[in-house]
Amino acid sequence: MPSLRIVPRTLSRAGLVRAPRTATISTGTVAPARAFSTRSNHRQQQHQQHQQHQQHQQMPRTLKAGASPGVVGALVGGALVGWYLFSSNSGSDASSPDAWRKVNYHNVYKDIAALLEDENYDDGSYGPVFVRLAWHSSGTFDKMTKTGGSDGATIRFAPESNHGANAGLDVARARLEPLKKKYPNISYGDLYTLAGVVAVQELGGPTVRWRPGRNDKADTECTPDGRLPDAAQGADHVRNIFYRMGFNDQEITALVGAHALGRCHSTRSGFEGPWNASPTAFTNFFFTELLSNSWVPKKWSGPFQYVDKESGQFMMLPADMAFRSDPQFRKYAEIYAADQDAFFADFTKAFTKLLELGVKFPEDAPVYEFTTLE
């Protein structure tokens, strides 16, 4: 087994390293994308930050005593959600089979990236909730019935939008709705999945290949509740959910590494807290924290979850702990904890697969690799 590399527990957004490169896409044109060679510099900066802060751990803004998203963030979030509920009733203009061809996806990428940062929301970024929106709109696929998945974007309709696993995603949809109005020919399925790609890349993660061509469906196509993972369950449940989609143990482990981003909210899932001290940076920190910390049950009135014994400020869900206790899952978790490049390489393949489950793309749909913003 590879040795576990202990990584720093802090990372500022300013520490992310980004540089442009060029890569050929399937249509034969050249599209800019991020340089993977910058990751070694990224890890070097992480180590330098650790040396600077090892005597005094600096927590993210919302973990500091007395800090909160603020009244302004609550008002803005409420206004966005209300406006979304009103405007989304008008339906989609992306009804033509060729509508996707009229969209400049590089411009859409840039506009989504511009929406990410907001100091009044959560930890200062909508990126984590955009990844969750892309994940949950795609993870309903059933390989036996060929139903669900990102094609159709039925997550925007009740009852699917009201499923417990989707609590809080109205905020992400509302944030993206102005772009649907700006680019009426993009389908919601393409918009939601592209938002996930943008978030992964802009928060320091790997380049994720993406292609357009999803269709929007009616609310009659909503998937039944229970297709997404239940965070309170263990390894058997996790496998049942992901095997239904067509994933293997290695792909499942890679995908769960996205828990490096964001936090749980007691007002949404019932659980509370971040997985690590850098919830707006895409890293392998989920695996390093999972394997290097001692985890104890959280003493509170909420649902059962774990907190790290040392500080009590980071959490793991019961389903997360399966990747520590189950031998097959742990085998891959140890690889990813020791090698962030290996995690990035496997994650990007699994995430692309997730976003494309059940989608019948046009034969000439190009595959994009986008550059991150400077």
Side-chain angles (χ1 to χ4, degrees):
M1 290 293 182
S3 59
L4 179 63
R5 178 173 59 86
I6 304 301
V7 297
R9 294 164 70 90
T10 63
L11 179 64
S12 68
R13 288 195 291 274
L16 300 181
V17 180
R18 303 185 179 103
R21 68 177 174 90
T22 58
T24 303
I25 61 176
S26 62
T27 56
T29 59
V30 176
R34 290 180 52 245
F36 284 88
S37 62
T38 61
R39 291 179 190 143
S40 61
N41 296 332
H42 188 184
R43 289 195 298 273
Q44 183 178 5
Q45 290 194 0
Q46 291 175 357
H47 177 72
Q48 292 172 348
Q49 289 178 333
H50 178 56
Q51 296 298 319
Q52 296 170 359
H53 297 286
Q54 60 182 346
Q55 299 300 324
H56 178 70
Q57 186 183 68
Q58 180 180 352
M59 297 296 296
R61 179 178 58 82
T62 56
L63 290 182
K64 295 178 182 178
S68 67
V71 175
V72 174
L75 291 175
V76 171
L80 277 171
V81 172
W83 181 78
Y84 165 74
L85 292 175
F86 171 77
S87 61
S88 62
N89 292 331
S90 61
S92 169
D93 291 336
S95 56
S96 167
D98 293 323
W100 65 271
R101 303 178 191 275
K102 304 175 184 178
V103 181
N104 186 320
Y105 295 101
H106 291 284
N107 287 345
V108 178
Y109 180 101
K110 293 176 182 178
D111 284 350
I112 294 173
L115 292 177
L116 293 179
E117 290 194 12
D118 185 342
E119 291 300 320
N120 293 311
Y121 177 74
D122 225 18
D123 293 299
S125 174
Y126 279 87
V129 77
F130 282 178
V131 173
R132 183 167 165 249
L133 175 63
W135 206 116
H136 284 214
S137 66
S138 305
T140 56
F141 180 70
D142 186 322
K143 67 180 182 180
M144 300 302 295
T145 63
K146 307 298 182 183
T147 59
S150 62
D151 196 36
T154 53
I155 195 172
R156 70 194 193 279
F157 296 126
E160 188 173 338
S161 61
N162 295 328
H163 292 168
N166 293 329
L169 290 179
D170 52 340
V171 173
R173 295 193 300 272
R175 182 76 168 175
L176 293 169
E177 187 63 21
L179 297 188
K180 174 60 178 167
K181 303 306 177 186
K182 182 175 181 179
Y183 303 98
N185 287 306
I186 192 173
S187 68
Y188 279 106
D190 282 346
L191 180 60
Y192 294 166
T193 54
L194 181 53
V197 170
V198 173
V200 168
Q201 295 191 181
E202 292 298 318
L203 297 183
T207 298
V208 179
R209 291 187 172 188
W210 178 89
R211 53 179 167 165
R214 294 165 184 79
N215 298 304
D216 287 333
K217 298 179 181 178
D219 56 2
T220 55
E221 301 293 323
C222 284
T223 57
D225 199 1
R227 289 195 177 185
L228 294 170
D230 182 348
Q233 302 299 316
D236 289 344
H237 168 80
V238 171
R239 285 195 172 92
N240 288 337
I241 292 293
F242 282 89
Y243 284 5
R244 187 208 69 228
M245 289 183 257
F247 289 108
N248 58 36
D249 286 358
Q250 175 263 315
E251 293 169 319
I252 297 170
T253 309
L255 285 172
V256 80
H259 276 178
L261 293 177
R263 63 173 62 238
C264 287
H265 303 77
S266 59
T267 56
R268 299 177 185 178
S269 65
F271 303 100
E272 183 64 37
W275 285 269
N276 63 78
S278 306
T280 60
F282 195 95
T283 64
N284 66 341
F285 285 11
F286 169 78
F287 299 109
T288 57
E289 293 290 337
L290 176 69
L291 300 181
S292 64
N293 282 332
S294 295
W295 298 95
V296 296
K298 180 179 176 67
K299 296 180 180 179
W300 72 323
S301 60
F304 182 82
Q305 66 176 77
Y306 295 89
V307 293
D308 70 298
K309 186 176 181 179
E310 179 182 351
S311 72
Q313 299 196 65
F314 307 116
M315 68 94 201
M316 287 287 163
L317 302 166
D320 294 327
M321 297 300 285
F323 296 87
R324 177 179 171 126
S325 61
D326 182 271
Q328 283 300 110
F329 285 150
R330 183 177 179 119
K331 174 176 65 175
Y332 298 110
E334 289 183 347
I335 293 172
Y336 299 149
D339 188 344
Q340 182 167 271
D341 286 350
F343 165 51
F344 277 14
D346 287 347
F347 176 84
T348 189
K349 289 183 288 188
F351 194 56
T352 296
K353 177 179 176 178
L354 173 67
L355 301 184
E356 296 191 348
L357 291 175
V359 183
K360 296 179 180 179
F361 291 99
E363 292 183 359
D364 59 341
V367 175
Y368 288 89
E369 289 186 354
F370 300 95
T371 185
T372 55
L373 301 186
E374 292 298 329

